[in-house]
Amino acid sequence: MAMEGDVMTTVDATRAGAGLTTEEAAARLRVDGPNRLAGPKRKHPLLVLAAQLVHFFALMLWVAAVLAVIAGMPALAVAIVVVVVLNGVFSFVQEYRADRAAERLRELLPVRATVRRDGRAVVVDAAELVVGDVVLLEAGDRICVDATVLPGGRLSVDESMLTGESKPVRPAAGGDVHAGTYVVEGHGAVVATATGSRTRLAEIAAATEHAARPHSPLANQLNRVVKTIAGIAVGVGVLFFGVSLLLGLELSEGFLFAIGVTVALVPEGLLPTVTLSLARAGQRMAARNALVRRLESVETLGATTFICTDKTGTLTRNEMSVVAVWTAHGAVEVTGEGYGPDGTLCGTPDAVRAAALVADTAARCSPDAHAVSEHGRWRPVGDPMEVALHVFATRAGVPAAPGAVARYPFDPRRRRSSVVDGDGLHLTGAPDVVLGLCTEVPAGAERVLTEMSGQGLRVVAVARRRGAVAVDGADAVEERMEFLGLVGLQDPPRSDVAEAIDACRTAGIRLAMVTGDHPGTARAIAVAVGLCDPDGIVVEGKDLPAGEDELGALLDRDGVVVARVAPEDKLRIARALQARGHVVAMTGDGVNDGPALRAADIGVAMGASGTDVAREAADLVLLDDHFGTIVSAVEQGRATFANIRRFLTYHLTDNVAELAPFAVWALSGGNIPLGLSVLQVLALDIGTDLLPALALGGEPANPRTMNGPAKTGKLIDGRLLRRAFGVLGPTEAAVSMLAFLTVLLVSGWTWGSTPTALATASGALFAAVVLGQLANAYACRSESRWVGRVGVTGNRLLTYAVGFELAMLAVFLLVPPLPELLGGHVPTALGWGMALLAVPAVLIADAVQKALRSHRRGTPRLPR
């Protein structure tokens, strides 16, 4: 561990502008280890598995198994134990895989930090920070170490994570800042005094390690669904218990019979199946550069109806370059490729000299921005716009600027940044702000500004004030400025944004550009990507209505452009649209965007260029800052919601078919034999429900997912219940009972008599349910298209699951001693023929129901 003397030595070196050397940092990293908090202690997998075996429903099953042994029914006891263990193992595997998937997703977004190494600013992984490192901080940065503030900067730090105090603090030089806090304003340098497990944050994390994790809204909704179904199952069990007593069964047999029915109907594997489905969706999104920070946000993404998107880096490439400069001496064209140093300034000699002065001043306002060459390509280090100004200065041949006395970084409220050095005050910022601070503005400046903005250029005004300058406060010194020129930066639109915007409109999602840029620039980019028409609505933040109703009415349309917005405007916009019933996705990358990102239904932060504060507040992080990635995430969210409904339909349909033999037995007063034993029902749950349901949870998004508005809301609604309980379930139940009764009648059975072919008939019923579930799995792949349109390929997991289902059917009917144990033998040829009818019956009923629904919507044809 580095000692205090080492830190002080580094402080002295920092004041000289050096920081640690690469070799020193590497040596300290080897001694102290990486700057990471110790991960939470994981429960041993066996303890997690044990928890799956002792929850409420599992305990109920254990009691039932004990009663079965006492009643002399060991086969039922063994079957119940098998169900408990299999369901427990299944749930454990699902939960374990989901947790590991969530961990892998979190690792995709490493925290980065800017440090002074070998005398220059470099960006490193936060895990590589060591004691003595000089860390350069700006607004929006997350502080990753405990540190001491160095002289020369001004920091405002949000320490609410540690102290609970919402008001930011302003540590003076020599004061302390702590890991886990955020810089909300200003800039400065700090020297690390503690890393990893030796920070104050680590102590707090250790104290809160065992805090319970709250359930998400989606988890709560699913729990309600499970409890509702379980309640129905218990009610049905009680009903059959009463019926069994009326029909003369022994009390113990009737009780165990009822318990078995209840157990068969409880969807114990539903919640872990949903969790894994969400985790899978999160992994699919990550593969497409969308990192979901909270898995339940996957479902909310699918319900998005309004996207408020930024311009820079989201609709554009965020690859800025200075292409034009205007001064009182004329216009200058700047050439060059990317962030490389090679380029030229083309114009009259006087104009070029004036442009070089502009470049010099602009570069002084971004002292730490620069470009580095990696693998033959120049990459920006720092804000892309500041790097572009730095490259502009290099191409203009401007020498390195002297060290700054004071620096006032860009602030979204002030909309400008400035630096004070030995030559005076240097200022860059939004033209309407900077021009207002200048004593004199050349004629034509406003016209040129309008022309540049109309071309889609981002325009920065540059000014200076020579001589000694007081540094008591930014606003106090930024006055009586000398106007130097306007700089036009090009940031081309992304090539496929127009396609993504069209996809949003096809999906019924409205769009608005919400940007801090000039209205002319915002309009030009919006028109270029197809977000709005040339005569579309463009409004500035200062002109937005004060009332929420009026603001919502103005913005609740497609293609609105809101320019020159303040962070507070974004928050108002999100709330106004939510008040009108929209599910709002709001993008943001700045430190002050946090409230808006939290208020939106889906906060979207930039992973490549955004601040740590924005990423922490967001639900979704775009690893590539690409608007098209939002659209992909919405598509996956819709697909996930549909998948949850798919396997819910599948589960409920199966329950109807399983209950039918018991209902027929009870309603006939026992004159019709019971077609399925409790053991067979349990076997059906094991053989038909688990893997196909899991496969339906992984169904890929179909090409129609983004056609029309989102079909989200309640997981179980009237449409799903009608389909499961009114169409698919009754069809499957009717065919299976028909197979059972046909085999009985052919064998000579009559009403109320003792059947001689009960086991064979029961095998036919059992096979019919399994085959009906096979068809049901494919029918559940779509709520609107019949299987002939969807096809049987496209979901490899379902193909494997169906193969397993058929294999289990053969095992249950053919492999001794299972047929005798379960009570169902291999069906006759007639029985197989009747059982096979379940497949076309379910598929035809599904197709007819979808065709009728399509006809009611005004499209009288077989659903496509």
Side-chain angles (χ1 to χ4, degrees), residues 14-26:
T14 303
R15 288 170 181 161
L20 292 178
T21 65
T22 302
E23 292 75 16
E24 288 174 330

Side-chain angles (χ1 to χ4, degrees), residues 717-733:
D717 56 10
R719 178 175 168 180
L720 186 149
L721 293 175
R722 285 191 297 271
R723 188 156 178 247
F725 292 150
V727 179
L728 298 176
T731 301
E732 192 175 307

Side-chain angles (χ1 to χ4, degrees), residues 53 153 188 196 205 245 282 286 347 362 433 570 587 858-859:
L53 301 177
L245 293 181
V433 173
K570 282 190 172 185
T587 69
T859 52

Side-chain angles (χ1 to χ4, degrees), residues 665-690:
W665 171 78
L667 292 174
S668 70
N671 288 301
I672 296 178
L674 182 61
L676 285 178
S677 69
V678 173
L679 291 179
Q680 283 176 302
V681 172
L682 296 177
L684 284 171
D685 285 343
I686 297 170
T688 68
D689 269 4
L690 294 184

Side-chain angles (χ1 to χ4, degrees), residues 600-819:
D601 299 281
I602 291 292
V604 183
M606 306 299 114
S609 62
T611 62
D612 294 331
V613 172
R615 287 193 286 265
E616 188 68 23
D619 304 291
L620 179 72
V621 178
L622 306 183
L623 300 178
D624 58 357
D625 294 5
H626 195 332
F627 177 79
T629 304
I630 303 177
V631 181
S632 298
V634 171
E635 179 184 30
Q636 187 60 56
R638 289 188 177 190
T640 301
F641 184 84
N643 287 348
I644 296 174
R645 287 175 58 88
R646 284 185 178 105
F647 57 69
L648 277 172
T649 305
Y650 181 83
H651 272 296
L652 296 178
T653 300
D654 188 36
N655 287 350
V656 174
E658 291 174 348
L659 268 181
F662 295 93
V664 170
W665 171 78
L667 292 174
S668 70
N671 288 301
I672 296 178
L674 182 61
L676 285 178
S677 69
V678 173
L679 291 179
Q680 283 176 302
V681 172
L682 296 177
L684 284 171
D685 285 343
I686 297 170
T688 68
D689 269 4
L690 294 184
L691 291 186
L694 185 60
L696 287 171
E699 182 76 22
N702 68 61
R704 296 163 55 92
T705 299
M706 294 294 281
N707 287 359
K711 301 176 182 66
T712 56
K714 292 182 178 179
L715 287 174
I716 296 182
D717 56 10
R719 178 175 168 180
L720 186 149
L721 293 175
R722 285 191 297 271
R723 188 156 178 247
F725 292 150
V727 179
L728 298 176
T731 301
E732 192 175 307
V735 174
S736 59
M737 287 304 302
L738 179 62
F740 174 70
L741 293 174
T742 299
V743 174
L744 284 183
L745 291 171
V746 169
S747 70
W749 171 80
T750 58
W751 180 270
S753 65
T754 301
T756 58
L758 179 60
T760 303
S762 179
L765 192 159
F766 184 87
V769 174
V770 173
L771 294 172
Q773 280 296 93
L774 182 152
N776 182 33
Y778 286 102
C780 287
R781 291 187 66 197
S782 173
E783 288 191 40
S784 60
R785 295 182 297 162
W786 71 296
V787 174
R789 297 295 302 179
V790 178
V792 295
T793 60
N795 186 340
R796 187 172 56 185
L797 287 177
L798 185 58
T799 302
Y800 295 152
V802 166
F804 177 81
E805 188 176 5
L806 293 174
M808 289 302 297
L809 173 61
V811 168
F812 288 141
L813 293 177
L814 296 172
V815 178
L818 291 178

Side-chain angles (χ1 to χ4, degrees), residues 230-250:
I232 295 173
V234 172
V236 171
V238 171
L239 175 65
F240 279 110
F241 176 64
V243 172
S244 65
L245 293 181
L246 292 176
L247 294 178
L249 288 180
E250 293 292 333

Side-chain angles (χ1 to χ4, degrees), residues 6 80 130 172 203 288 338 377 426 453 479 503 510 559 577 582 598 774 788 821:
D6 296 327
I80 292 175
V130 297
E203 298 174 2
R288 301 171 77 172
R377 179 181 175 86
H426 310 271
S453 300
E479 58 185 20
R510 294 184 174 183
L577 292 172
H582 282 291
R598 290 189 181 92
L774 182 152
L821 183 64

